[in-house]
Amino acid sequence: MELKQRIAEVIATQIHDGDYLMLDSSSTAIQVAKAIKNRKNITLITNSLELLREATGQDGWHVISTGGTLKPDVLAHVGPHALRTVGAYHARYAILSCRGINEALGLADSDDEVVQVKQAMVASSDCAILLADHRKFDRTGFVALGKLDLVDKLITDTAPEPQWQERLAEAGVELLYGE
């Protein structure tokens, strides 16, 4: 949890009053919501039931649930309805996590339907930000989310190995991390 909180503190510096955000159903996204509770006039679009609960009662926040088919193991909405809802909006940031980052698949996650929602969020945003702690590097996942250049920024808890810093730079991904 400490690693996720560190990542959330870094991304909180990127988010300003009045921003439009799409947040996925990751546990790190919950920490982001907690870290930005002092922001005003946030519009938040999410497929996460836990994130909806976390954002409830935030004064001045406009919270939009994607709706869709409930995926109980991750407490998230997926499927055609969720995809249509995400596609109907445009956000400044799509903020997402993944199961692993590796050379073969690039960004990878654990489930097709969850990946589809994340890809739709990226397509409906100006800037895609990946949140991944240092343990996600060189880790695989079941489903390819996209190559490194799918995202504009990667925020992690500590500086990754030099070869990963080089790969990210080559892909045009801005690297931010907390210490």
Side-chain angles (χ1 to χ4, degrees):
M1 193 57 66
E2 181 184 324
L3 303 178
K4 294 172 191 233
Q5 290 170 338
R6 196 177 310 160
I7 290 168
E9 289 169 10
V10 174
I11 193 168
T13 66
Q14 306 288 301
I15 299 170
H16 305 288
D17 292 348
D19 274 344
Y20 288 73
L21 313 173
M22 290 189 182
L23 281 167
D24 73 357
S25 57
S26 65
S27 56
T28 308
I30 303 296
Q31 297 305 313
V32 171
K34 290 177 180 180
I36 63 168
K37 281 197 171 194
N38 64 339
R39 301 301 187 279
K40 305 209 182 312
N41 301 319
I42 294 293
T43 298
L44 172 64
I45 302 162
T46 188
N47 66 325
S48 167
L49 297 182
E50 289 184 274
L51 194 51
L52 290 171
R53 186 173 1 150
E54 185 64 38
T56 298
Q58 280 303 114
D59 191 35
W61 283 28
H62 181 79
V63 181
I64 300 168
S65 171
T66 64
T69 303
L70 178 63
K71 188 155 188 60
D73 57 329
V74 291
L75 290 175
H77 289 119
V78 295
H81 185 81
L83 295 173
R84 279 191 303 276
T85 301
V86 169
Y89 293 96
H90 186 84
R92 180 173 184 200
Y93 294 123
I95 301 167
L96 54 137
S97 189
C98 67
R99 195 64 72 188
I101 305 168
N102 62 73
E103 212 169 343
L105 288 179
L107 312 176
D109 217 315
S110 57
D111 182 273
D112 284 322
E113 292 176 308
V114 171
V115 162
Q116 289 171 0
V117 173
K118 291 179 186 205
Q119 290 169 332
M121 287 179 171
V122 169
S124 293
S125 70
D126 292 330
C127 179
I129 302 175
L130 180 70
L131 311 176
D133 69 59
H134 72 277
R135 299 171 301 180
K136 305 255 175 118
F137 290 91
D138 293 314
R139 187 171 164 192
T140 60
F142 181 63
V143 181
L145 175 59
K147 296 297 179 191
L148 288 177
D149 63 0
L150 177 72
V151 297
D152 301 291
K153 298 180 183 189
L154 187 149
I155 299 177
T156 189
D157 57 304
T158 189
E161 296 294 323
Q163 71 269 17
W164 275 108
Q165 291 183 38
E166 187 176 313
R167 286 180 191 138
L168 292 165
E170 287 172 3
V173 177
E174 180 182 353
L175 175 64
L176 302 167
Y177 52 89
E179 291 281 357

